[in-house]
Amino acid sequence: MHAHAVHNKRPSSSSSSNARNVIAMSASSSSTADPRRADRIVEYKPEVKRIEDDDPDVHGFVALCIAVVGLMIKNRTCLWIGMIFSVESYLNQRASEGGLLGSPTATILFSVSSLTMNYMPELLALYSAYSGARI
């Protein structure tokens, strides 16, 4: 048996230049695809919200519906829940919304008036008992 000597072949100059070209091409292609380049930077601009894109006043709508239901069926629990929702709607309104009779303020006024109308028979009975007047 012959012992074969393993010779390390040195790459020829043409193969080493090919390897350098491949490395250079891969480096240049990665730099063109690199999103961190200065000319690829896009400045952040926050989205401008329009008034019509805002969420509707859900608490005010729920307060109005519950107050109407409570007034129709004479349920005081519904009226008090409507009052709580109307106050929450008033506290969550923006300073630019409405004036004195804006939607949350009107909802509070409606809730207070429906509570007053519901408690009115008892208030009148209490008044007549203390004053002695017949109503």
Side-chain angles (χ1 to χ4, degrees), residues 117-129:
M117 288 170 35
N118 197 319
Y119 281 103
M120 190 59 72
E122 291 178 10
L123 293 174
L124 289 176
L126 187 65
Y127 173 75
S128 66

Side-chain angles (χ1 to χ4, degrees), residues 28 30-43:
S28 68
S30 68
S31 67
T32 58
D34 189 10
R36 297 174 293 175
R37 289 188 345 205
D39 61 334
R40 305 279 266 170
I41 295 174
V42 178
E43 183 180 344

Side-chain angles (χ1 to χ4, degrees), residues 1-133:
M1 298 200 127
H2 289 292
H4 292 287
V6 178
H7 295 285
N8 289 337
K9 289 187 176 180
R10 296 184 79 185
S12 64
S13 64
S14 64
S15 66
S16 68
S17 65
N18 285 341
R20 282 188 215 130
N21 287 340
V22 169
I23 292 171
M25 286 175 55
S26 67
S28 68
S29 66
S30 68
S31 67
T32 58
D34 189 10
R36 297 174 293 175
R37 289 188 345 205
D39 61 334
R40 305 279 266 170
I41 295 174
V42 178
E43 183 180 344
Y44 172 74
K45 294 177 184 167
E47 183 179 330
V48 177
K49 276 189 140 181
R50 296 179 306 195
I51 292 175
E52 54 267 3
D53 292 341
D54 285 343
D55 293 330
D57 186 18
V58 176
H59 297 291
F61 179 72
V62 169
L64 191 61
C65 290
I66 290 176
V68 167
V69 167
L71 188 61
M72 294 296 170
I73 64 174
K74 295 186 177 185
N75 187 345
R76 292 181 180 161
T77 305
C78 286
L79 292 173
W80 282 108
I81 290 172
M83 184 68 190
I84 290 169
F85 270 92
S86 64
V87 169
E88 185 177 356
S89 172
Y90 179 76
L91 293 176
N92 286 331
Q93 79 174 349
R94 290 194 174 99
S96 62
E97 285 182 5
L100 179 60
L101 293 176
S103 176
T105 309
T107 307
I108 286 179
L109 289 174
F110 181 75
S111 295
V112 167
S113 64
S114 60
L115 276 169
T116 305
M117 288 170 35
N118 197 319
Y119 281 103
M120 190 59 72
E122 291 178 10
L123 293 174
L124 289 176
L126 187 65
Y127 173 75
S128 66
Y130 281 120
S131 66

